[in-house]
Amino acid sequence: MAKRGGRNRNKNRQYEGRAMWWESPTYNSRLVMYYRNIIMQLAMNRFKWINLPSTCDARFLEWTLLNEGYATIAFPPKMVGTFFSTRVQFQSENDVYDNPFQWDSIGNNGWRFHCSMFNGVLIHDNSTRFPLMEGINLYARELAQIRITKNVNRFHQKMPVVWLVPEERKLDAINMVKQVAGGEPAVLAYPEFARDVSTMALQTGVPYLGEEMAQDEMNVWNRVYMMLGIDNSTLKMERQTQDEIQAHKNPAEIIRLASLNERRTAAEHLNRFFPEYLLDGDIQVEWNRDLESNNWNFRHDMVHQ
């Protein structure tokens, strides 16, 4: 039995580093997760919370809004003024405007306390109150399918050349192919080599669709950016007028405001009803930009100055 296991291990070493057919489901699943993770990073870093209480976690707040569509910033009755940003469980019927009167702040560790407008605020991710994760999952799968199709198309482009040689000349043929592949002169050791060796190329007739697939992937990414409200131009800027560039940005800006306004409404509620507990000043929400790096570059780059 030990010898048999050893033979299997030696056999498996032949395939190390190669993608085998039984790995395809795992590869496809990882590909979806890879794209899903990238789009989630884009989504979670779109907004910057300013003067959020130190007891709140902006990352978890955005994660909750992204996955569940709503979250809360509130303080427990026994910890007045100490705000937490958590998940939500509704505890009342909705009013005439479809807003709940009461809800609970909940956590994965059993954390729970009762909330209302008198000790916190309910935040929705967007104006439709539909979790964005549904769209992210759809686009992650679509991007993965494009990548898989690319791989299949590439596979058909690398069909090998078959060398037909007598068994006794197999090693000579292998050495010659290695020399040619390595850019070295191929030296034939005997004059009959050309007579004994023949080649045959396997042709699939499948055209290479590299540019078409790249354009298809770019179009899907453009739809992802549009879904997230991120400005993106589908054409090169030098080919567009200022009005055309602005026309592309307008839909993204409107979608961006659908999420930004919900967060700002929640911030305004906290600023209005609990100003005495917001020691750092009014809470604000902005579209995220790397102003810190820009300011550093401005101060240190003499060209900009």
Side-chain angles (χ1 to χ4, degrees):
M1 296 297 293
K3 291 183 178 179
R4 181 178 301 176
R7 286 197 299 269
N8 288 337
R9 285 194 296 271
N10 292 334
K11 182 179 179 181
N12 289 336
R13 289 196 186 101
Q14 303 176 38
Y15 303 104
E16 289 181 358
R18 304 183 189 180
M20 306 307 295
W21 65 269
W22 59 78
E23 296 176 345
S24 295
T26 302
Y27 171 78
N28 295 346
S29 177
R30 288 180 178 178
L31 203 56
V32 173
M33 293 300 296
Y34 166 76
Y35 283 115
R36 184 173 181 265
N37 179 56
I38 288 185
I39 302 174
M40 286 182 68
Q41 290 185 50
L42 290 172
M44 289 179 61
N45 287 280
R46 293 175 297 162
F47 306 105
K48 178 181 291 186
W49 290 81
I50 301 173
N51 296 332
L52 193 67
S54 59
T55 48
C56 295
D57 188 326
R59 186 211 67 84
F60 185 75
L61 176 60
E62 286 297 331
W63 185 92
T64 303
L65 290 170
L66 176 64
N67 284 273
E68 301 185 8
Y70 42 80
T72 185
I73 297 178
F75 57 80
K78 295 182 179 180
M79 301 174 65
V80 177
T82 304
F83 290 93
F84 296 91
S85 52
T86 67
R87 299 169 58 212
V88 170
Q89 186 174 77
F90 297 126
Q91 295 295 337
S92 70
E93 295 181 355
N94 294 345
D95 62 16
V96 67
Y97 297 117
D98 206 25
N99 297 312
F101 293 104
Q102 301 176 5
W103 62 93
D104 280 358
S105 166
I106 61 173
N108 297 329
N109 60 349
W111 169 280
R112 179 184 291 267
F113 65 86
H114 189 69
C115 303
S116 69
M117 64 177 295
F118 300 107
N119 69 325
V121 65
L122 186 67
I123 312 170
H124 292 281
D125 179 59
N126 54 67
S127 57
T128 63
R129 303 182 179 181
F130 189 77
L132 196 59
M133 277 305 303
E134 296 294 333
I136 291 177
N137 289 332
L138 290 174
Y139 281 123
R141 181 176 178 83
E142 188 169 351
L143 287 166
Q145 289 294 335
I146 293 174
R147 176 61 58 181
I148 293 168
T149 304
K150 276 186 176 182
N151 293 341
V152 173
N153 187 247
R154 286 173 177 169
F155 169 79
H156 287 292
Q157 307 312 310
K158 62 178 184 180
M159 285 293 98
V161 175
V162 179
W163 296 78
L164 305 177
V165 299
E167 180 65 28
E168 63 272 15
R169 299 301 180 189
K170 179 179 178 181
L171 183 58
D172 293 332
I174 291 175
N175 290 333
M176 188 196 71
V177 172
K178 286 182 177 179
Q179 287 177 317
V180 173
E184 302 177 13
V187 179
L188 303 180
Y190 64 98
E192 293 82 10
F193 189 83
R195 179 198 65 193
D196 295 339
V197 176
S198 61
T199 62
M200 179 179 64
L202 298 179
Q203 299 292 337
T204 64
V206 177
Y208 181 54
L209 303 176
E211 277 208 35
E212 290 83 350
M213 298 303 298
Q215 185 62 50
D216 192 17
E217 183 174 5
M218 185 182 299
N219 290 338
V220 175
W221 275 115
N222 288 336
R223 294 199 296 272
V224 171
Y225 298 142
M226 179 68 70
M227 175 183 69
L228 299 178
I230 298 175
D231 291 336
N232 184 63
S233 179
T234 57
L235 300 174
K236 292 184 178 180
M237 287 298 183
E238 62 267 19
R239 298 179 182 176
Q240 296 180 341
T241 65
Q242 185 62 35
D243 290 340
E244 290 172 334
I245 294 173
Q246 190 60 40
H248 284 297
K249 289 184 177 181
N250 284 342
E253 183 177 4
I254 292 173
I255 293 176
R256 179 192 315 164
L257 289 173
S259 296
L260 189 56
N261 286 340
E262 291 294 326
R263 288 161 172 78
R264 285 175 172 170
T265 298
E268 289 171 3
H269 176 90
L270 294 173
N271 295 335
R272 178 183 177 186
F273 286 95
F274 312 107
E276 67 274 20
Y277 303 130
L278 304 178
L279 303 181
D280 295 326
D282 286 352
I283 299 175
Q284 301 177 36
V285 189
E286 296 181 356
W287 189 249
N288 198 11
R289 291 181 177 86
D290 187 13
L291 297 179
E292 184 175 346
S293 294
N294 291 338
N295 291 337
W296 190 95
N297 291 335
F298 180 78
R299 291 196 303 268
H300 294 80
D301 192 336
M302 294 303 295
V303 175
H304 290 170
Q305 295 185 33

